[in-house]
Amino acid sequence: MNDPMDYPGIKSWVEEWGGGVDYLDYVKGHGDLGMMVAFSRIFWPRFVEVEGCVLWDRAYEESNFKSWRESLSGNIRKIEATLNQLRVWQIVDADDVEEDWRAQEFFAACVAKTWSAALSAEFPHRSFDVRVIGSEDGPIVTFSSGAT
């Protein structure tokens, strides 16, 4: 899927309206300002820097960080990759059908692109490896520091 208009739920809604509407109209009819604000933080997150690690602010909790730092022998890339994960299936319900799998992958790819841009904007002198990892439950967006 490369276009939200290809998603069956949006496509059928547009057809019910007889055309003339699109995915923005769908958001207007199904979401609210709170949802938009929440999504903005998913697509453009805040980051914290802790002991050389760049972490998604939502993923940072001091005792958990210390535990992983010890468990992973202080390896910054491994710590970041372990903690900086957005598991798509944990934020949205989806059916076990091909269309929903493709939609989750599309969403994850969009998040990865915006996370890459957000990281570049906030840390212009660092490189990051932002990727989507497939799992049996669905896609995971993650990032870690790039090779130095």
Side-chain angles (χ1 to χ4, degrees):
M1 181 166 100
N2 292 320
D3 185 338
M5 297 296 289
D6 293 336
Y7 185 68
I10 296 174
K11 187 184 286 188
S12 67
W13 182 83
V14 167
E15 289 169 0
E16 286 175 21
W17 276 90
V21 293
D22 64 10
Y23 60 92
L24 286 176
D25 300 301
Y26 183 86
V27 169
K28 173 73 174 164
H30 291 84
D32 62 16
L33 188 55
M35 180 77 67
M36 298 300 292
V37 171
F39 271 113
S40 71
R41 285 294 302 279
I42 292 171
F43 285 109
W44 201 269
R46 291 183 182 157
F47 306 104
V48 295
E49 194 167 5
V50 182
E51 298 185 33
C53 292
V54 173
L55 302 170
W56 178 21
D57 72 340
R58 189 173 188 279
Y60 175 71
E61 193 280 314
E62 184 178 6
S63 63
N64 189 48
F65 171 78
K66 288 181 179 181
S67 176
W68 280 109
R69 184 187 65 211
E70 183 178 323
S71 174
L72 297 172
S73 304
N75 184 308
I76 290 173
R77 294 186 75 201
K78 287 182 180 179
I79 296 166
E80 291 170 339
T82 300
L83 295 177
N84 295 324
Q85 293 189 10
L86 173 68
R87 295 169 182 90
V88 174
W89 71 89
Q90 291 181 329
I91 62 169
V92 64
D93 292 327
D95 293 324
D96 191 14
V97 295
E98 184 64 28
E99 292 87 4
D100 283 6
W101 281 97
R102 284 197 312 263
Q104 287 185 34
E105 290 168 359
F106 174 76
F107 177 80
C110 291
V111 169
K113 288 176 187 176
T114 60
W115 280 17
S116 183
L119 286 159
S120 292
E122 190 159 338
F123 303 96
H125 302 294
R126 283 183 78 162
S127 66
F128 293 92
D129 178 22
V130 183
R131 63 179 60 201
V132 177
I133 301 169
S135 78
E136 67 182 37
D137 295 315
I140 301 168
V141 183
T142 185
F143 71 88
S144 60
S145 294
T148 55

